[in-house]
Amino acid sequence: MPKKRRRAPASLPPVSVVILAAGEGKRMKSALPKVLQPLAGRPLLVHVIEAAGRLSPEAIHVVYGHAGESVRAALGQEPVNWVEQRERLGTGHAVLQALPHIPDEQMVLVLYGDVPLIRAQTLAELLARAGTGALSLLTVKLDDPAGYGRVVRASGRVRRIVEEKDATARELSSHECNTGVLACPARLLKRWLARVKPHNAQGEYYLTDIIAMAVKEKVAVVPVVAQDVAEVLGVNDKQQLAQLEGVLRARRAHELLLDGVTLADPARVDVRGTLTHGRDVFIDVNVVFDGDVSLGDNVRIGPGCVVRDSRIGAGTEVFAHCVIDSADIGANCNIGPFARFRPSSRLKDAVHIGNFVEVKNSNMGEGSKANHLAYVGDAEVGARVNIGAGTIIANYDGANKHRTLIADDVHTGSNSVLVAPITVGAGATIAAGSTVIGSVPAGKLTVARARQSTIEAWVRPRKPEK
Ligand code: UD1
Ligand code: CA
């Protein structure tokens, strides 16, 4: 059962949301059910559930059908009630499945799992217009209305909705379309849907038939015309999915620009999640932000970076083509180009991580550097440490991962291997090319490599002359 939600604002009556998501989505040509297809990194259905959640409804019922078990399994954490529609007999039939869960005195708001950009603000307006006794429906004026049900008006008033396949040529000339989104009292919806018959071109139980029923009973029908077409666009194929991705990308970029972030190209930054930021942040082209990311003042992100669930401190510059996952990076650090952070690392201020350096599950103290070609895994690194080019922390013995402790002011020579678990004392220097397997004392030079020697009498083999 759904979790109890906070009551809707006093101006709105108690509302239960029904989200229709039993569509097959064949045109996606994908093994993944349509409503699980990701938009800005999250399933289509999650976008709708979130918009609905912002209204603080009494409950959200998701009607699922074909391949529905995988939808439930994937989104089992969502605070919704799952209602199965065994046979896909039409939108009216789909809504009917949820009605036994909804008390008569509530309002019902019908949404669609494949119409992801609907805004809570629009829904609140729709509910406000319906009040407690009317039916309000969201319509949209489209240049190309093909495929949509048309709103039939007489003397300006909505009379009914006709599906394209049932419409006359005259009705088809109307460009006012039914978005399918509507709000009405549960009490009336129950009565009307029980009377809907599948007597139409598609042999389906049409939700849209209730409009004419309301008109007949002199229940007020209040149309609300959507101002932003993108909000009511459905997703049926990958082309439409890409189109909505573009809409979301543009929306987010627009918000960032208004907020004072400099974007090298607003068409080439993707925010899949939430991005919080300070002042004078600069973001170059083709950057992807995923999950929760926060950027301090004056942060610069170079082109081609992917930043996921991370915090980047003020004044830090991330150069081109870095992948940063679940890292907490301090202020005034230099990262990249071509650096990779795997979860989960913490860098203090003024740390430098250079090209082809991988950092995983490690902490690094202030002013430490790993400027080239290194692996820092499962390590506690102190302050002012210099990790030489080609240093590898061998943290994995094939079965277990071990930690490495590197105290302050250590220098590791180029191409050294530190076999964990190991402790390196403060101020130690490890000679280039060393493989160290035991603790390294503080303040000394430790050499762990074969001594250089020259074989005087050696002669290079030659092929016999022919
Ligand atoms: C429906 C509307 C049409 C409107 C259009 C907007 C009806 C009869 N028609 O038409 O007026 O212009 O949406 O896109 O309502 N679904 C179920 N179970 C079913 C049938 C549908 O869950 O048995 C869900 C689908 O997953 C989909 C939505 O309802 O998300 C709409 O169904 P669809 O068959 O696409 O309706 P349309 O013919 O597009
Ligand atoms: Ca449709």
Side-chain angles (χ1 to χ4, degrees), residues 171-187:
E171 288 164 343
L172 286 178
S173 69
S174 162
H175 283 233
E176 188 179 7
C177 298
N178 173 36
T179 67
V181 175
L182 58 81
C184 98
R187 178 176 52 86

Side-chain angles (χ1 to χ4, degrees), residues 138-420:
L138 191 64
T139 71
V140 63
K141 293 190 171 129
L142 295 177
D143 294 337
D144 177 13
Y148 282 82
R150 308 297 208 284
V151 177
V152 179
R153 293 191 187 231
S155 350
R157 294 206 165 170
V158 173
R159 309 303 299 180
R160 61 197 176 90
I161 287 169
V162 60
E163 291 307 293
E164 188 166 76
K165 287 182 178 139
D166 304 296
T168 62
R170 205 177 112 87
E171 288 164 343
L172 286 178
S173 69
S174 162
H175 283 233
E176 188 179 7
C177 298
N178 173 36
T179 67
V181 175
L182 58 81
C184 98
R187 178 176 52 86
L188 297 177
L189 196 55
K190 287 179 186 181
R191 195 166 79 215
W192 294 334
L193 281 181
R195 298 210 311 251
V196 167
K197 297 275 179 325
H199 299 156
N200 51 56
Q202 303 185 83
E204 287 184 4
Y205 294 86
Y206 287 168
L207 172 63
T208 45
D209 282 356
I210 69 168
I211 311 301
M213 292 176 175
V215 170
K216 201 167 166 202
E217 292 186 15
K218 301 205 162 30
V219 170
V221 174
V222 191
V224 174
V225 183
Q227 295 309 307
D228 176 5
V229 171
E231 241 190 293
V232 299
L233 291 180
V235 176
N236 296 303
D237 55 30
K238 294 286 171 74
Q239 154 70 34
Q240 291 167 336
L241 186 62
Q243 189 191 345
L244 291 199
E245 187 80 39
V247 170
L248 261 189
R249 182 184 302 118
R251 268 192 198 173
R252 300 265 167 96
H254 177 72
E255 288 161 10
L256 289 174
L257 292 169
L258 284 183
D259 254 8
V261 174
T262 303
L263 302 177
D265 181 355
R268 285 186 289 169
V269 59
D270 283 69
V271 181
R272 303 173 187 159
T274 52
L275 177 63
T276 51
H277 57 81
R279 287 169 72 106
D280 296 305
V281 165
F282 171 79
I283 298 168
D284 215 321
V285 299
N286 296 330
V287 175
V288 176
F289 295 101
D290 211 344
D292 287 333
V293 174
S294 103
L295 308 177
D297 292 345
N298 300 303
V299 164
R300 295 178 68 86
I301 307 287
C305 292
V306 178
V307 186
R308 175 178 304 118
D309 291 321
S310 294
R311 188 192 74 89
I312 298 180
T316 287
E317 178 153 13
V318 179
F319 297 94
H321 300 293
C322 293
V323 177
I324 300 176
D325 189 353
S326 308
D328 185 343
I329 296 175
N332 302 314
C333 295
N334 281 357
I335 309 295
F338 302 103
R340 178 177 185 202
F341 286 82
R342 287 162 55 207
S344 48
S345 294
R346 198 176 278 262
L347 268 49
K348 291 272 174 56
D349 297 345
V351 171
H352 290 193
I353 299 295
N355 39 242
F356 309 109
V357 174
E358 176 178 336
V359 181
K360 189 214 80 174
N361 190 26
S362 294
N363 298 323
M364 290 180 72
E366 192 164 342
S368 286
K369 296 177 180 167
N371 271 327
H372 342 258
L373 303 155
Y375 176 53
V376 181
D378 299 310
E380 297 294 330
V381 179
R384 300 172 304 279
V385 169
N386 198 314
I387 307 271
T391 297
I392 300 294
I393 296 182
N395 59 325
Y396 185 52
D397 61 14
N400 307 295
K401 305 244 163 71
H402 300 283
R403 283 199 85 75
T404 292
L405 305 177
I406 300 177
D408 295 346
D409 302 298
V410 165
H411 287 196
T412 73
S414 296
N415 212 30
S416 49
V417 179
L418 282 64
V419 181

Side-chain angles (χ1 to χ4, degrees), residues 7-18:
R7 260 307 176 80
S11 55
L12 296 178
V15 57
S16 279
V17 177
V18 177

Side-chain angles (χ1 to χ4, degrees), residues 1-3 5 49 53 59-61 75-82:
M1 277 309 282
K3 282 185 205 144
R5 293 170 169 277
I49 292 172
I60 299 175
H61 305 278
L75 303 181
Q77 303 302 320
E78 295 293 328
V80 302
N81 180 40
W82 296 92

